[in-house]
Amino acid sequence: MSSNPQTPATAAASVYTTYQDNTYLFGGNAPYVEEMYENYLANPGSVPDSWRDYFDALQHVPAADGTNAKDVPHQPVINAFAERAKAGGTKVVMASADAEMGRKRTSVQQLIAAYRNVGQRWADLDPLKRTERPAIPELDPAFYGFSDADQEIVFDTSNTFFGKNRMSLRELLNALRETYCGTLGAEYMYATDQGEKRWWQQKLESIRSKPNFTAEKKTHILDRLTAAEGLERFLHTKYVGQKRFSLEGGESFIASMDELIQSAGAQGVQEIVIGMAHRGRLNVLVNTMRKLPADLFAEFDHTAPEDLPSGDVKYHQGFSSDVSTAGGPVHLSLAFNPSHLEIVNPVVEGSVRARMDRRADPLGKQVLPVLVHGDAAFGGQGVNQETFALAQTRGYFTGGTVHIIINNQIGFTTSDPRDMRSSVFCTDIVKMVEAPVLHVNGDDPEAVVLATQLALEYRLTFRKDVVLDIVCFRKLGHNEQDTPALTQPLMYKKITAQPGTRKLFADKLATQGLGETLGDDMVKSYRAALDAGKHIGESVLSNFKTKYTVDWAPFLGKKWTDAGDTSIPASEWKRLAERITTIPESVSPHQLVKKVYDDRAAMGRGDTPVDWGMGEHMAFASLVASGYPVRLSGEDSGRGTFTHRHAVIHDQKREKWDIGSYVALQNVAENQAPFVVIDSILSEEAVLGFEYGYASNDPNTMVIWEAQFGDFANGAQVVIDQFIASGEVKWGRVNGLTLMLPHGYEGQGPEHSSARLERFMQLAADTNMQIVQPTTASQIFHVLRRQMVRDLRKPLIIFTPKSLLRNKDATSPVSEFTKGCFQTVIPENKVLKADKVKRILACSGKVYYDLVKKREELAANDVAILRVEQLYPFPHKAFAAELKKYPNATELVWTQDEPQNQGAWFFVQHYIHENMVTGQKLGYSGRAASASPAVGYSHLHQEQQKSLVEGAFGKLKGFVLSK
């Protein structure tokens, strides 16, 4: 940033000087400019954007007398002089011809602005031509008072890019309609940045939105259309009735993808990550990703390897390959995707960000995200809004995404367009981030390719999102077993009569002299290749790897019982503690934060026990010092929802909003790994999806998503169900993402008590994740370190506490950090006579401390209390070993804060029963079953808590399981 920024006044003066050098403002145009300025002074919104920006700048130029007085409308002054003339003063003669000409000049500018703003509403976008052109008066010259007699009048057009500074009205109208109302319609005028608007005007108007491709280029486009159509027709006849979500009707999409990859590679992009739903996915796998047709056919024939516990259908499968481009090899990754259509989008963005960070590519010059959408899902799924909201934020920036919509104008089976959405275009959601949109007729593949080139160039220039809306149709039903004419009779009459994009384009090229049989010859060649299970042309680059390729081999086939040394030497503890508790003199922390850091310094010296926040910080410090990057994100993650973390210190004497923060964990060692903490936007679904995507591409970084309250994780349930819980068994995707979910019953009501432990327990199978509920500072230290020190990469779900963050009973001595490990089961820590113990209480989480307190009140020394810190995979050996210590215990009671139908009870009872001995009984003490996670009445919460704690020591009631 410049050290001497211009003030608004000096910047405006510079603009004024620049415009003053442009002669078109003067001479014969002066009356026209004066009238437009007069209109501006009366109503700034009445003039075109370009003139309004110019006039706005003039308002910052000092007046002739040196003051900052604003200009005022001139007409009242002129009228005053006219009145004086009537009274015998100087006569003012108005040149009526000049005034009329000035009005027309103003109208011409308004006409230009109208086409730039809404010309796309008249564009020829629908291949089926089902609807009439809407009435838009602003696009009709008559709206501005023009008639046929005005068609040959020449006007100044120097603010356009049509190649002429002066054009007749007829020429101008033709140019505007060719540019904005052809088979490519652009939306960009809602952009705030004037430079972006002028960029689009120059790009579109200079070529009138028409491509000028060579014969070789056109032939290549036909080749891609032939491949797209050929694969679909081959599958349709060979695998009758099998679902594949055909691309027929949208074949231009494959030509677009080919252009995008080749052009991106030529301009320095080295990796492209693609996310898309079902429609056209198999086509992309074969014709874009270059998957062998024979491998796809094997999936249809059920002869492909089935080596995963679950697996998934073929149109959810991901793939990666390396292809050649003019700029060198490009690595392509197609993300695995569930049936929840748009949920893969933030996952792709997270994967891209991980690749950018690994390459030290902060602008995304080398990595490109591409998201492919359906028209109905694009506007209908809220995850898109959340993902767009992430686009330009620091923690989630990916350099802009190219969005491609396969717009079949029907969505799923919606039979009436009035029911599809509440906006004009399915793309209108992108106006929230001012992303430009190029609507293009799918039956004009040259226009599709041109639009692809423009979209990519915009993204590489401005590093922002851009949308390509390919308006096409769906030849078959939603899937191949549908009969779409049931709900769309009119549309499918037109589709039946459609010869297809490939045929139309082949005929067009034949008329241009490129060969009468060119199209048919291509069809025959492609069919022959498919019959052989092969590709035509270049195949993928085999065994190509770069230094950025991630080796996942060390993380495969590991067991959750594998050991990992999570303690650190005492000397390292002291060194790290000093580094993370030292605040530079140049930073003035808030007094409350200073006390937290002073207290932590004492903990580091061993003067006082270590609390949760310090245990967490020391885990992070030791990881980054050992070369493991840490990425922590969530709402309030820098401070911590419950103000326990304070990873970011804000200088209380800061003078600028964007400087003046200090992160101690970024100053642990000279060559440490990065520590990044991000206060996310108010989103769960997109942010969690993003972090899953990041972790899926970087096994060496500790990636953590923290919910503000664990209850809010249900806003991201799709990510949890479809990716975190089942991604490995469906797709073989190993992922070490960590979730921190604040959980605990402290009387805060239904939405601030439960992280829904039961939902994760229900999803737990096939050793797919680790579910823990630590209760001490040393336990959170060891479990965080364990996640990285071991080579096991499984999602780690941590149910973190709230009240325990400051509970002295939950602190730990330094010795528990320099020795020991994470304990899946914490034994009874009170010295009891083992043979006198009659009852064992098993629990998890905060309730342990309530039980200990009650035992002391009752002096119940015949009761042992075990803490199950890891609920899944259940630690059978450790738990059984603790039970054996008490041979005379005849009763076990599982105690929990949660209602009986929630929490861990229904899932751990059979684990506990498995480890019981004959004659033992298992009971339950906790809240009664409830539709709500917690009560909202404080007194009722207290009563329930008192009852469940007392019940743990009372007579067994209700359900009792015997062995």
Side-chain angles (χ1 to χ4, degrees):
M1 185 176 284
S2 172
S3 58
N4 296 304
Q6 285 186 313
T7 65
T10 56
S14 175
V15 172
Y16 178 67
T17 301
T18 301
Y19 272 97
Q20 200 171 32
D21 293 336
N22 295 320
T23 57
Y24 68 83
L25 293 172
F26 306 99
N29 290 330
Y32 154 64
V33 176
E34 175 65 23
E35 180 169 346
M36 189 150 3
Y37 187 50
E38 186 72 14
N39 291 338
Y40 166 83
L41 291 172
N43 177 13
S46 66
V47 301
D49 287 353
S50 56
W51 284 104
R52 184 168 67 252
D53 291 342
Y54 167 55
F55 292 146
D56 283 346
L58 286 183
Q59 305 314 303
H60 295 290
V61 178
D65 60 0
T67 69
N68 289 320
K70 302 298 183 185
D71 206 351
V72 297
H74 302 171
Q75 195 60 47
V77 178
I78 295 172
N79 291 342
F81 277 102
E83 290 301 320
R84 289 182 61 187
K86 291 178 183 177
T90 304
K91 291 185 177 181
V92 179
V93 179
M94 298 297 293
S96 60
D98 284 350
E100 175 61 15
M101 194 59 191
R103 184 195 65 75
K104 290 182 177 180
R105 288 169 179 151
T106 300
S107 295
V108 163
Q109 294 304 314
Q110 293 173 330
L111 186 64
I112 293 171
Y115 272 87
R116 287 171 172 172
N117 276 284
V118 296
Q120 78 286 147
R121 295 289 306 283
W122 275 7
D124 178 17
L125 300 177
D126 184 3
L128 302 177
K129 303 186 186 305
R130 294 178 302 144
T131 57
E132 296 180 2
R133 191 169 71 179
I136 303 177
E138 306 96 291
L139 299 180
D140 188 344
F143 178 76
Y144 305 95
F146 290 116
S147 66
D148 289 344
D150 298 313
Q151 290 292 311
E152 304 308 323
I153 298 177
V154 175
F155 294 95
D156 179 87
T157 55
S158 57
N159 67 329
T160 68
F161 293 90
F162 294 127
K164 294 182 178 181
N165 287 335
R166 296 179 64 78
M167 299 173 72
S168 69
L169 180 60
R170 187 186 307 279
E171 286 180 294
L172 177 61
L173 277 170
N174 287 339
L176 289 170
R177 288 169 178 169
E178 286 178 5
T179 302
Y180 294 105
C181 303
T183 54
L184 194 164
E187 288 187 280
Y188 61 85
M189 287 296 287
Y190 41 75
T192 302
D193 188 335
Q194 183 68 17
E196 289 185 32
K197 288 189 278 194
R198 295 301 280 171
W199 186 91
W200 278 111
Q201 289 159 13
Q202 190 275 326
K203 292 294 179 182
L204 295 168
E205 293 172 4
S206 63
I207 60 171
R208 303 196 182 185
S209 298
K210 297 294 185 294
N212 184 23
F213 295 141
T214 64
E216 181 183 8
K217 182 75 171 181
K218 294 176 182 179
T219 302
H220 181 71
I221 293 172
L222 179 60
D223 173 75
R224 293 295 80 206
L225 295 176
T226 303
E229 181 187 86
L231 178 66
E232 298 297 350
R233 296 195 172 181
F234 180 90
L235 295 176
H236 193 63
T237 54
K238 187 169 184 179
Y239 302 103
V240 179
Q242 290 203 40
K243 285 186 181 180
R244 69 178 193 278
F245 298 96
S246 168
L247 183 64
E248 285 184 271
E251 292 90 348
S252 289
F253 165 64
I254 295 299
S256 173
M257 288 296 294
D258 177 78
E259 181 63 34
L260 185 64
I261 293 165
Q262 292 300 319
S263 293
Q267 296 177 73
V269 172
Q270 297 177 31
E271 290 192 73
I272 298 177
V273 186
I274 305 165
M276 68 180 298
H278 319 339
R279 182 77 50 213
R281 191 181 186 91
L282 301 185
N283 220 304
V284 167
L285 282 167
V286 171
N287 289 318
T288 301
M289 308 294 294
R290 311 298 284 172
K291 180 175 183 174
L292 271 177
D295 292 342
L296 176 64
F297 302 156
E299 293 173 14
F300 276 96
D301 294 328
H302 306 292
T303 58
E306 296 180 352
D307 50 5
L308 293 171
S310 171
D312 205 347
V313 293
K314 48 191 164 291
Y315 41 82
H316 289 172
Q317 297 297 328
F319 195 74
S320 63
S321 60
D322 297 278
V323 299
S324 296
T325 72
V330 171
H331 181 73
L332 305 178
S333 295
L334 176 64
F336 292 85
N337 188 65
S339 283
H340 297 68
L341 297 176
E342 300 288 319
I343 196 62
V344 76
N345 300 343
V347 176
V348 166
E349 300 293 351
S351 176
V352 168
R353 180 60 181 256
R355 296 164 198 259
M356 288 168 57
D357 289 349
R358 187 160 58 247
R359 290 172 171 269
D361 176 25
L363 296 179
K365 293 181 178 180
Q366 301 172 41
V367 190
L368 174 68
V370 177
L371 296 177
V372 183
H373 314 267
D375 53 317
F378 190 62
Q381 297 290 301
V383 69
N384 284 324
Q385 183 266 346
E386 293 188 25
T387 306
F388 277 118
L390 294 175
Q392 293 295 316
T393 60
R394 292 180 298 168
Y396 309 95
F397 176 74
T398 55
T401 300
V402 175
H403 300 266
I404 303 177
I405 298 175
I406 303 176
N407 186 349
N408 57 41
Q409 309 183 76
I410 187 175
F412 182 52
T413 57
T414 308
S415 57
D416 192 321
R418 293 172 295 182
D419 299 325
M420 292 182 71
R421 56 180 172 267
S422 299
S423 59
V424 174
F425 294 109
C426 66
T427 57
D428 285 344
I429 184 178
V430 307
K431 292 176 181 177
M432 66 177 283
V433 292
E434 299 184 351
V437 180
L438 298 175
H439 306 279
V440 60
N441 189 319
D443 264 0
D444 187 349
E446 289 183 84
V448 171
V449 170
L450 171 64
T452 305
Q453 293 174 342
L454 292 171
L456 176 64
E457 188 177 354
Y458 172 85
R459 187 273 181 187
L460 295 177
T461 301
F462 295 101
R463 307 291 164 188
K464 294 182 179 180
D465 286 50
V466 61
V467 180
L468 175 59
D469 177 25
I470 303 176
V471 184
C472 52
F473 58 90
R474 191 186 69 197
K475 184 171 183 179
L476 304 175
H478 173 68
N479 61 62
E480 287 62 39
Q481 297 168 3
D482 284 346
T483 304
L486 292 173
T487 55
Q488 295 281 352
L490 180 60
M491 172 182 270
Y492 276 85
K493 282 181 183 177
K494 290 182 174 290
I495 289 174
T496 302
Q498 251 278 351
T501 306
R502 185 208 63 80
K503 179 69 166 61
L504 291 172
F505 192 58
D507 291 347
K508 177 182 177 181
L509 296 191
T511 63
Q512 294 177 0
L514 270 66
E516 292 290 336
T517 64
L518 177 63
D520 292 339
D521 292 343
M522 283 186 176
V523 170
K524 292 175 183 176
S525 296
Y526 190 79
R527 176 63 191 235
L530 287 182
D531 285 334
K534 299 179 180 179
H535 283 297
I536 290 180
E538 291 186 25
S539 296
V540 297
L541 301 173
S542 300
N543 301 317
F544 177 78
K545 291 185 178 180
T546 72
K547 63 180 180 179
Y548 302 109
T549 302
V550 177
D551 181 12
W552 286 88
F555 308 102
L556 303 178
K558 305 300 179 182
K559 297 179 180 179
W560 77 266
T561 52
D562 290 347
D565 184 4
T566 57
S567 62
I568 61 175
S571 58
E572 180 69 353
W573 170 273
K574 290 180 179 179
R575 187 189 74 80
L576 293 174
E578 183 178 356
R579 293 302 294 264
I580 67 169
T581 58
T582 300
I583 304 174
E585 292 183 4
S586 58
V587 177
S588 299
H590 192 283
Q591 286 304 305
L592 294 177
V593 176
K594 184 177 185 305
K595 183 180 186 310
V596 168
Y597 273 71
D598 289 344
D599 290 346
R600 287 179 182 172
M603 296 173 197
R605 294 189 299 269
D607 297 343
T608 58
V610 178
D611 68 8
W612 190 280
M614 182 61 168
E616 209 184 61
H617 257 61
M618 287 299 293
F620 296 150
S622 61
L623 286 172
V624 297
S626 301
Y628 295 104
V630 174
R631 175 186 169 91
L632 167 62
S633 80
E635 298 154 20
D636 294 332
S637 285
R639 181 197 66 176
T641 299
F642 312 102
T643 63
H644 80 285
R645 182 170 294 127
H646 297 294
V648 181
I649 301 175
H650 296 277
D651 190 346
Q652 297 300 299
K653 295 182 179 179
R654 73 198 313 173
E655 296 180 357
K656 294 185 177 180
W657 65 269
D658 57 345
I659 59 173
S661 61
Y662 176 76
V663 180
L665 286 165
Q666 294 175 350
N667 296 275
V668 171
E670 246 182 69
N671 298 313
Q672 71 168 77
F675 174 81
V676 179
V677 59
I678 302 157
D679 289 332
S680 76
I681 67 169
L682 194 64
S683 156
E684 283 79 36
E685 188 172 43
V687 173
L688 181 55
F690 190 101
E691 301 305 343
Y692 175 88
Y694 195 108
S696 72
N697 201 257
D698 190 348
N700 298 306
T701 292
M702 178 159 215
V703 183
I704 305 170
W705 177 73
E706 181 179 49
Q708 188 180 52
F709 280 83
D711 314 60
F712 304 155
N714 60 11
Q717 197 66 45
V718 175
V719 180
I720 295 167
D721 291 348
Q722 308 303 322
F723 292 95
I724 294 172
S726 58
E728 184 175 359
V729 297
K730 290 190 299 188
W731 310 316
R733 304 303 292 166
V734 177
N735 192 296
L737 176 66
T738 296
L739 274 62
M740 285 183 170
L741 308 177
H743 174 86
Y745 281 65
E746 283 103 358
Q748 295 189 60
E751 274 74 57
H752 298 85
S753 298
S754 175
R756 293 292 192 172
L757 174 60
E758 65 279 357
R759 290 182 178 168
F760 290 91
M761 294 298 290
Q762 183 185 43
L763 293 169
D766 299 316
T767 322
N768 60 336
M769 65 176 87
Q770 307 158 89
I771 302 173
V772 301
Q773 190 165 199
T775 55
T776 69
S778 61
Q779 283 287 85
I780 188 62
F781 171 86
H782 287 295
V783 79
L784 288 172
R785 283 184 49 77
R786 186 183 76 164
Q787 183 69 350
M788 298 308 297
V789 171
R790 296 193 301 179
D791 285 338
L792 179 74
R793 290 296 178 268
K794 300 274 187 180
L796 172 62
I797 317 301
I798 307 177
F799 288 85
T800 55
K802 293 176 284 186
S803 62
L804 295 189
L805 297 174
R806 294 174 178 81
N807 189 325
K808 290 184 179 180
D809 292 334
T811 59
S812 305
V814 170
S815 59
E816 290 188 6
F817 299 85
T818 58
K819 297 175 184 176
C821 60
F822 177 71
Q823 295 175 279
T824 56
V825 178
I826 299 182
E828 171 61 68
N829 59 13
K830 182 178 181 179
V831 178
L832 298 174
K833 293 182 178 180
D835 60 341
K836 299 295 184 183
V837 171
K838 303 300 182 184
R839 175 177 288 193
I840 299 172
L841 304 183
C843 64
S844 184
K846 178 190 74 68
V847 73
Y848 165 77
Y849 295 98
D850 297 331
L851 295 174
V852 169
K853 183 178 178 181
K854 189 65 177 178
R855 182 174 63 180
E856 295 305 308
E857 288 178 12
L858 299 174
N861 294 322
D862 60 347
V863 177
I865 306 175
L866 305 180
R867 276 176 279 180
V868 181
E869 301 274 292
Q870 178 169 299
L871 292 161
Y872 187 83
F874 192 81
H876 285 282
K877 287 185 179 179
F879 188 76
E882 293 306 314
L883 294 188
K884 288 178 182 177
K885 291 180 180 179
Y886 310 105
N888 297 323
T890 58
E891 296 177 345
L892 280 79
V893 179
W894 176 262
T895 309
Q896 65 179 36
D897 284 321
E898 302 87 356
Q900 188 173 18
N901 59 324
Q902 300 171 33
W905 167 237
F906 282 154
F907 306 95
V908 299
Q909 58 182 250
H910 63 279
Y911 295 145
I912 295 173
H913 185 264
E914 184 179 330
N915 293 288
M916 289 163 51
V917 297
T918 303
Q920 284 184 323
K921 295 179 179 181
L922 173 62
Y924 165 83
S925 184
R927 285 174 166 81
S930 171
S932 173
V935 297
Y937 304 117
S938 178
H939 69 91
L940 184 55
H941 164 76
Q942 297 296 339
E943 290 173 10
Q944 289 180 343
Q945 195 70 20
K946 181 174 180 290
S947 176
L948 74 88
V949 172
E950 290 176 347
F953 295 89
K955 184 179 179 181
L956 296 182
K957 295 180 181 179
F959 175 81
V960 177
L961 187 63
S962 300
K963 187 165 184 178

